[in-house]
Amino acid sequence: MRAGARGITANVVAPGFVSGTGFFEVGGYGTPNSAMLEKAAAGTLVGRVGTPRDVTHIVTNLLSVDAGWITGQPSLRR
């Protein structure tokens, strides 16, 4: 909390299922097939798995001057 007074912010990006990133392999699920992706997508509020571009948008926003007031918040995708 003391870092905030010096303009230092700390946030977390927890995107969940992200296609094309090795998420499934690292998690021990194996190489994703269409059935796995459909099941993962069905478990999200937006009905699809994320993409690296989705994560990039969140991180870019948090690194921008416009996000200077945001700190101590998780960015979750469900």
Side-chain angles (χ1 to χ4, degrees):
M1 293 215 203
R2 289 180 260 172
R6 295 190 311 257
I8 299 170
T9 61
N11 298 286
V12 175
V13 177
F17 298 110
V18 178
S19 64
T21 60
F23 177 90
F24 293 93
E25 293 90 340
V26 172
Y29 301 105
T31 303
N33 56 42
S34 60
M36 290 171 68
L37 293 173
E38 287 175 20
K39 186 174 181 178
T44 70
L45 295 176
V46 295
R48 67 177 180 84
V49 296
T51 66
R53 182 176 212 96
D54 293 323
V55 178
T56 300
H57 289 300
I58 295 169
V59 172
T60 301
N61 180 52
L62 289 173
L63 292 173
S64 74
V65 173
D66 294 334
W69 189 66
I70 301 171
T71 189
Q73 299 301 311
S75 294
L76 303 173
R77 293 289 185 226
R78 296 183 181 168

